[in-house]
Amino acid sequence: MESGYVTTPFGRRPMSLGMLASQQLAETIEPGMKRSKWKLFRAICEARPALGVSDRALTVLDALLTFYPDDEISEEKGLIVFPSNAQLSLRARGMTPATLRRHLAVLVEAGLILRKDSPNGKRYARRDRAGAIGEAFGFSVAPLLARAVEIETLAAQAVADRELLRVTRERLTLCRRDISKLIAAALEEGVSGDWEGISAMFRALLARIPRVATAEDLALHLDEMGLLRAEVVNMLERRIKTKKIDANESQIEHHKQNSNPDSTYELEPSFETKQGEKAAADNDPNAGPSDERRLKQQKPSGGMSNRAEGAADPGAGPGLKSFPLGLVLQACPSILDYGPGGSIGNWRDLMSAAVVVRSMLGVSPSAYEEACSGMGPENAATVIACILERGGHINSPGGYLRDLTRRTERGEFAIGPMLMALVRANGLTARHAS
């Protein structure tokens, strides 16, 4: 196309600034630039939503490209095709003339082709005596060559987005399956916990997933599903750890009971010591009847006592899983005001803020210390932040914290559902920190 040359449409078709911009763009083709017309057409098909054209318009473009004589589009071989409406309709799968004109206009508006109309509106080419085309009137495919890099980039992005959508949908499906089967396993095994509430939360998450969703939409639901799955797994792992602790204690107790096979009191190993004490008392001339009665009345201190001591040890109890600090701050933004300098950048800052809030809420130091021992300091600070966020709904923060600590020791409390409820209440989006 001649530099600075402007062509206007024939007849009643108006000229627009978009057409002028497309003509100016067509003049920016780099010298020697070439593209395979069918590879470029495939890229256009991939990038169709971004380019704003319909599948029927692409059918017309496909038909137009069949009239281009070579496989590669280049300026050296010309950029004008000039088929008649009848021939173009045949190659466009028998499209009617009115429909053909409408989709040609769509391609022009999208900046994929240009009109170069003759004085009488006909499409033809003038040839010299050697048969070479001197000047042609019809449709120019110059915009395709000028926008080749842009089109290929859009196509690559469309492919990447489609792959991301596929992968995200697969992960969401697997997460849904995991949660469903883990809840079923927990109910079948009789694991303690609020499984009805977790099932209701799971159903609510499923109901919020749209039928047609983008990768970003599915990623948000995947994050929430992943959080719920982590909580379910955490509860089941605590159950497994509790079983292992009970099994180990039974094994140790059984080992103690059989450590002296020659003893006549092997079923009551701790009572052997008492028997020895009784014998020593019998041989003691100063020992009276009251001493003998005291020895008989003493209770054995064996397996049950060991288990009780293990349950009282905070370190032996199952611990809660800590959640990302970013998620905690999204669920509980009110705690930010109590951090050092009015901000919280790490867990130490959160725990410092929790000490301040604990005193403000009237939670006793002993209740907070018990929570730190039973839950861990990070989780105790997280619970304090949640209590602060729900301050208007909790009458006794101290009693509430002690109750959560006792439930944690019994394996009946999980922080995840509390955080998710606050995230939804605040209208925020929960995302896992990397």
Side-chain angles (χ1 to χ4, degrees):
M1 182 179 291
E2 298 177 16
S3 178
Y5 179 78
V6 175
T7 177
T8 56
F10 171 79
R12 296 181 180 180
R13 289 191 295 267
M15 182 66 177
S16 67
L17 293 179
M19 294 180 186
L20 182 60
S22 297
Q23 292 182 27
Q24 292 175 345
L25 179 63
E27 296 175 5
T28 63
I29 300 174
E30 298 180 2
M33 188 174 184
K34 298 179 180 179
R35 284 295 189 277
S36 168
K37 63 180 181 182
W38 298 124
K39 289 182 179 180
L40 192 55
F41 177 73
R42 184 180 183 86
I44 293 171
C45 293
E46 294 282 4
R48 180 177 65 82
L51 294 173
V53 292
S54 64
D55 54 346
R56 298 295 300 278
L58 291 184
T59 301
V60 176
L61 181 60
D62 179 31
L64 276 175
L65 291 176
T66 61
F67 290 97
Y68 194 83
D70 297 302
D71 180 68
E72 287 188 335
I73 302 175
S74 65
E75 282 191 296
E76 290 78 8
K77 299 175 182 177
L79 297 171
I80 305 293
V81 291
F82 40 90
S84 65
N85 282 340
Q87 291 298 318
L88 186 57
S89 176
L90 287 176
R91 297 195 188 184
R93 282 70 172 170
M95 191 175 291
T96 62
T99 305
L100 189 65
R101 287 192 297 270
R102 185 170 67 253
H103 290 303
L104 284 170
V106 169
L107 293 174
V108 172
E109 287 294 326
L112 296 179
I113 61 173
L114 287 175
R115 290 183 182 274
K116 187 181 179 183
D117 290 343
S118 65
N120 60 3
K122 302 295 183 180
R123 301 178 200 131
Y124 58 88
R126 289 198 182 98
R127 300 178 183 270
D128 57 20
R129 293 182 179 180
I133 296 177
E135 187 175 12
F137 297 96
F139 296 103
S140 171
V141 294
L144 297 182
L145 200 56
R147 300 180 63 187
V149 175
E150 175 195 352
I151 292 171
E152 290 164 353
T153 302
L154 290 174
Q157 184 63 47
V159 172
D161 290 344
R162 187 169 62 247
E163 180 64 15
L164 177 61
L165 179 62
R166 183 188 66 81
V167 171
T168 306
R169 185 179 286 115
E170 287 180 354
R171 290 176 179 173
L172 184 60
T173 300
L174 291 175
C175 193
R176 291 171 57 181
R177 185 183 70 190
D178 292 345
I179 294 173
S180 177
K181 291 187 178 291
L182 288 173
I183 291 176
L187 294 174
E188 184 177 351
E189 296 289 337
V191 179
S192 60
D194 185 16
W195 296 110
E196 290 186 4
I198 292 176
S199 298
M201 186 180 300
F202 179 48
R203 290 192 296 270
L205 289 176
L206 291 179
R208 289 167 50 197
I209 300 176
R211 287 184 173 272
V212 180
T214 63
E216 290 77 8
D217 294 335
L218 293 181
L220 297 179
H221 295 288
L222 178 60
D223 284 344
E224 293 186 346
M225 284 282 186
L227 181 61
L228 182 59
R229 178 175 60 182
E231 274 305 301
V232 173
V233 171
N234 191 26
M235 295 174 69
L236 294 180
E237 286 178 347
R238 289 203 301 271
R239 172 68 172 180
I240 294 173
K241 289 178 182 178
T242 303
K243 283 188 174 181
K244 287 183 178 179
I245 291 172
D246 292 341
N248 290 339
E249 289 176 350
S250 297
Q251 186 176 1
I252 293 171
E253 181 180 345
H254 183 70
H255 176 70
K256 287 181 179 179
Q257 291 173 349
N258 292 279
S259 59
N260 188 2
D262 297 329
S263 172
T264 58
Y265 301 98
E266 64 179 0
L267 295 179
E268 295 180 2
S270 59
F271 192 59
E272 294 174 8
T273 304
K274 304 305 177 182
Q275 291 292 329
E277 292 177 2
K278 181 177 183 299
D282 290 340
N283 294 328
D284 186 358
N286 297 323
S290 61
D291 296 322
E292 181 177 353
R293 284 195 301 272
R294 178 177 56 80
L295 289 172
K296 288 181 179 180
Q297 292 172 357
Q298 284 181 327
K299 295 181 181 180
S301 57
M304 292 300 292
S305 175
N306 290 338
R307 281 195 293 273
E309 292 174 2
D313 181 9
L320 292 177
K321 174 184 176 182
S322 296
F323 287 87
L325 179 61
L327 175 62
V328 176
L329 297 181
Q330 284 182 340
C332 311
S334 299
I335 195 73
L336 290 168
D337 296 333
Y338 300 91
S343 63
I344 294 176
N346 51 51
W347 281 107
R348 179 174 297 179
D349 293 346
L350 179 64
M351 288 186 280
S352 299
V355 172
V356 177
V357 172
R358 185 274 304 164
S359 176
M360 183 188 71
L361 294 175
V363 177
S364 66
S366 61
Y368 188 60
E369 289 176 4
E370 290 176 6
C372 290
S373 299
M375 304 178 182
E378 293 87 355
N379 288 317
T382 300
V383 171
I384 288 291
C386 292
I387 293 175
L388 173 66
E389 199 68 27
R390 300 181 57 198
H393 305 280
I394 299 174
N395 295 327
S396 175
Y400 184 60
L401 181 62
R402 288 186 186 275
D403 179 64
L404 294 184
T405 303
R406 288 192 294 268
R407 288 170 59 189
T408 300
E409 293 172 352
R410 297 195 300 266
E412 298 175 356
F413 172 62
I415 297 179
M418 178 185 290
L419 288 175
M420 290 177 62
L422 288 174
V423 166
R424 289 193 296 271
N426 292 333
L428 297 175
T429 301
R431 283 189 174 276
H432 285 295
S434 58

